[in-house]
Amino acid sequence: MLGLVSLFTDAASEMIYPLIPVYIAALGSGAILLGIIEGIAETTSSMLKLISGILSDKTGKRKLYVIIGYSISTLFRPLTGIVSSAWQIIIVRMFDRVGKGIRTAPRDALIASSVDESIRGRAYGFERAMDNIGAVVGPILAIITLLILFIGFGLKDSLLALRWTFLLAIIPGILAVLTLVLFVKESISSNGNGNSFTFSLKKFDKNFRNYLLIMILFTLGNSSDAFLLFRVEEAIHKSGAVVKLVSSIPSLNQMVSNFGDEAARSNIINILFLPLVWAFFHIIKAVFSTPLG
């Protein structure tokens, strides 16, 4: 059930995320603001993961924190579609990551308590696989939504189409919260450990502390995926390769020929292509997550 929750949530998230770089560009900003957005969002999430993990241990109410986290993200994420300036996305992304920060540690604790220790790796791998399947479904839903808006409703304003796509991302988010509330059962004691709100690395062995150091070093050298998407969008726009490919296929060329001048058609083609690239990354992740787990 938690795997399904992750699938629906990531479908909602990835209807938006791969289109953020082109959306920011359409609002008149670029890579620097994108870096600020991602930096603030991930810092917020990381700090809250520690706090929510400690609180869920103390109270023993894992599911409550998971519900709160998923609900916050579901409500705030689609608001990306109503911002008037790119900097306002910082606020929306921050609250989205507040939700992620609150839910992640208690959710992982729920997974650990739901399976035997001998198959814990497989359980986490399966949950990650479901999450990545959602990250394949999300971009495909975004493309279908955009095609319906462009072709079915004759919409020619690409920015308005992006706004509607982001707003409709609330639907899979609601399905995630409903699945969580109705079908996920808490299989641990709700009494909590009663410890005070403290945290010290002394409680962990040397092996774990070494692992944390490795994670810090890796993360310092690991850029946000949003930058990768921004670079992909920039590359396909400059090369014109995708536009040439579409132009060489009569049916696709006929479909996009109705969208204004050459620049407008090129923009729409690139908008539709970016989620496909993002979905491909997650197909690879989904295939390998469970067996490697």
Side-chain angles (χ1 to χ4, degrees), residues 193-246:
N193 59 25
N195 292 337
S196 59
F197 189 90
T198 57
F199 176 78
S200 172
L201 286 176
K202 293 178 180 179
K203 297 180 180 179
F204 298 102
D205 62 22
K206 185 179 179 182
N207 192 46
F208 183 76
R209 292 196 295 271
N210 289 340
Y211 173 73
L212 286 182
L213 178 61
I214 292 166
M215 287 296 295
I216 291 169
L217 290 173
F218 175 80
T219 309
L220 281 173
N222 184 37
S223 72
S224 167
D225 288 338
F227 283 120
L228 181 62
L229 286 167
F230 191 87
R231 183 70 187 96
V232 169
E233 192 276 333
E234 184 181 58
I236 63 176
H237 180 74
K238 286 183 177 179
S239 70
V242 180
V243 175
K244 291 176 184 176
L245 177 63
V246 171

Side-chain angles (χ1 to χ4, degrees), residues 111-126:
I111 294 171
S113 67
S114 299
V115 297
D116 186 79
E117 187 175 347
S118 64
I119 58 166
R120 194 173 285 169
R122 188 195 308 173
Y124 282 120
F126 176 76

Side-chain angles (χ1 to χ4, degrees), residues 119-189:
I119 58 166
R120 194 173 285 169
R122 188 195 308 173
Y124 282 120
F126 176 76
E127 190 274 333
R128 287 292 86 197
M130 293 290 279
D131 184 270
N132 286 304
I133 290 170
V136 176
V137 172
I140 292 171
L141 287 176
I143 291 170
I144 292 171
T145 303
L146 287 165
L147 287 174
I148 291 172
L149 291 170
F150 286 139
I151 300 171
F153 290 91
L155 199 64
K156 289 183 168 56
D157 186 341
S158 57
L159 181 59
L160 185 58
L162 287 170
R163 291 186 186 278
W164 273 108
T165 302
F166 295 164
L167 289 170
L168 290 171
I170 196 171
I171 296 172
I174 290 172
L175 290 175
V177 175
L178 288 176
T179 303
L180 177 60
V181 171
L182 298 176
F183 300 108
V184 173
K185 307 298 181 185
E186 194 157 14
S187 57
I188 60 171
S189 170

